[in-house]
Each structure stands twice: as C-alpha cells, then as structure tokens.
Amino acid sequence: MQFNNMLLVSDLDGTLIGRNMKVPNINIHAIQEFTKKGGLFACATGRTELNAVPFMEGLPKDNPWILYNGSALYDFNKNEFIKKNILDDDLIRPLIDKVSKELNLNIQIFTGGAFYVLEGEHTDNLLEREKQNYIKTTLEKIPKGWFKVLFHGDNAPLDELTSLIESYYNDKLHYMRSSSVYLEITPKGVNKGSALLDLKEILKDRVHTVATIGDFGNDVELLQLGDISAAPENAHPSAKNVAKYMVCDVDEGAVADFIGLIEKL
C-alpha cells in the first residue's frame, strides 16, 4: 500500500517512546517505510524543542512538529518556530503565586529553550534523569512569552488545582492532564488538536487523510481530529474513549502496529 497524501501524527511519551525511554526499533523502521511509501510524519508532544531531540534519531523531520502540547509548531530542519501561541501571563500569575504557596507542586514555565522551574521543596525527578535544560528561579524573574505552565505532583494537590482552575479560569485558558503526575495549562483554545489544524493548513496541498495516535488526556483533541485514530493498549481511558482503534502496548511498538493496521484498511 502507498501512503500518498496521508499525514501520521504521533504522541511521544507513552505512545512512540517506550517505558525504557527509548523509541522501539520496530517503530522507527515502520515510520521510515511509511514515509518511503509517500506518507508524511510528525510528532505532537508536550516536550520542548530541546527535550524532543534525544528521541528523534532515525525519525523524519521534514515536517513541522507540534510542541508544548499545541502551543508551538517547530521546524527542526531550520531550528525555528513556525507558529507560537502565548499565554496571558498577567492572567495566570496570581494562580501560580497561590499554588506555589498553598499546594505541594513543582511548577514549570516554558518560554522556548531552557524552561523555568520555581524554587520550592517539591521536585520532578524526570528533569534530572533526562538532564533537561532548566533554570531554577522565582516567579518575578520569569519573562513574558509563556507557551505553557506545567504542574507536577500527586493526585490530591493536582485535583485541588483542577478545582481552582474550574472555579476561576475555566473559560479563560485550556488545561489538561498529560500524565498521572502532570497537569498543564496552555492558552485558551490551544491544544494538540488546534495545532494539528495549523499543521494541516501548512501541508494542505499534500495531505488528504490524517492518522493520529496518542495515549493520554492531552491527546484527546488530536485523536478526535484524526480521520483514522488509535490508542495503545496502555492508554488512559480518556484517550481510549475517543480513539477509533486500539493497538498494542507502547513497549511492543504501538506506532508500528498502527501503521500495519492502516495498511489493512
């Protein structure tokens, strides 16, 4: 089967990247074959342009990738942003100030490049494990131009945060759970799905069909907009409930399994 005029957009963590924090070779090979047969490939991730790079070896980067959970499109060939969506930080700073004082959460603010981590007792061990490029600072020292804000912690404080957002900010911004320990905020109406629409516009003369795959709440809009969509076996119910198909577990090569499924349709 040829994949001419088909765009495949995959989430990274929990979908393309296995639990060992490596992309299974079966996924890399399947994606390479997909593009050889005319398909277009991109990823949609909450990661930054710096934190996505370690997982890109062997993957096509001919098309812009969706970063910061939809707040940016990035061209890795040119190392430049194609589109940016910026939070109203004046609106959200009072929320962050309140959360930093009342809830035991790690707070990360992303402006492109190295991101900012607010000083505090709670830590996100992933930052050290992956040697991510961040700056520890205070809220007052963080410049404008925020792509997103990420909160890391246990369910109880994240649930309290959700209640705060729903009470005071629900119609003013977009929020989502991107894993069991993360809640993220992006500008109103901005998510992986809205970024997919922007990407389709950029590639409009080359794309007729879109296939999407993702595993968590931050992938819901992406999956809803796919002509063909799938969630891996390990996916959260929020993703499984909107995906049209189920594929194998992430460690077994979920993206490769999805491509094989598409070939049979």
Side-chain angles (χ1 to χ4, degrees), residues 13-26:
D13 296 272
T15 303
L16 185 62
I17 301 171
R19 292 180 182 85
N20 63 355
M21 300 311 295
K22 294 182 180 179
V23 180
N25 287 331
I26 190 173

Side-chain angles (χ1 to χ4, degrees), residues 21-169:
M21 300 311 295
K22 294 182 180 179
V23 180
N25 287 331
I26 190 173
N27 282 344
I28 295 173
H29 177 73
I31 292 167
Q32 290 174 346
E33 289 300 308
F34 175 82
T35 57
K36 284 179 183 177
K37 294 179 180 179
L40 305 177
F41 177 79
C43 278
T45 178
R47 287 178 175 268
T48 74
E49 68 278 16
L50 300 179
N51 297 335
V53 167
F55 306 98
M56 295 183 68
E57 186 174 354
L59 298 177
K61 55 181 183 179
D62 302 329
N63 307 297
W65 281 25
I66 297 168
L67 302 181
Y68 299 96
N69 272 322
S71 284
L73 290 176
Y74 193 82
D75 186 328
F76 279 100
N77 283 329
K78 297 180 180 178
N79 290 320
E80 65 181 24
F81 287 98
I82 304 300
K83 181 164 185 175
K84 298 179 180 181
N85 293 286
I86 302 300
L87 271 165
D88 180 353
D89 61 288
D90 289 332
L91 170 70
I92 199 173
R93 279 179 190 265
L95 172 67
I96 295 173
D97 185 55
K98 181 178 179 65
V99 170
S100 66
K101 294 173 181 176
E102 299 180 8
L103 299 178
N104 185 27
L105 292 170
N106 176 270
I107 303 174
Q108 303 168 27
I109 297 173
F110 296 79
T111 61
F115 58 95
Y116 298 92
V117 178
L118 293 193
E119 295 174 344
E121 294 182 4
H122 189 82
T123 59
D124 180 356
N125 293 327
L126 179 67
L127 308 188
E128 303 305 327
R129 285 203 305 271
E130 292 192 0
K131 297 180 172 58
Q132 294 188 12
N133 191 357
Y134 69 90
I135 301 163
K136 207 159 191 178
T137 187
T138 59
L139 182 60
E140 296 74 22
K141 294 180 180 179
I142 300 175
K144 289 182 174 293
W146 301 3
F147 287 128
K148 71 170 188 174
V149 180
L150 180 151
F151 302 87
H152 171 272
D154 296 327
N155 266 320
L158 287 177
D159 286 344
E160 287 187 56
L161 172 60
T162 300
S163 296
L164 276 174
I165 294 170
E166 289 175 345
S167 297
Y168 300 103
Y169 295 90

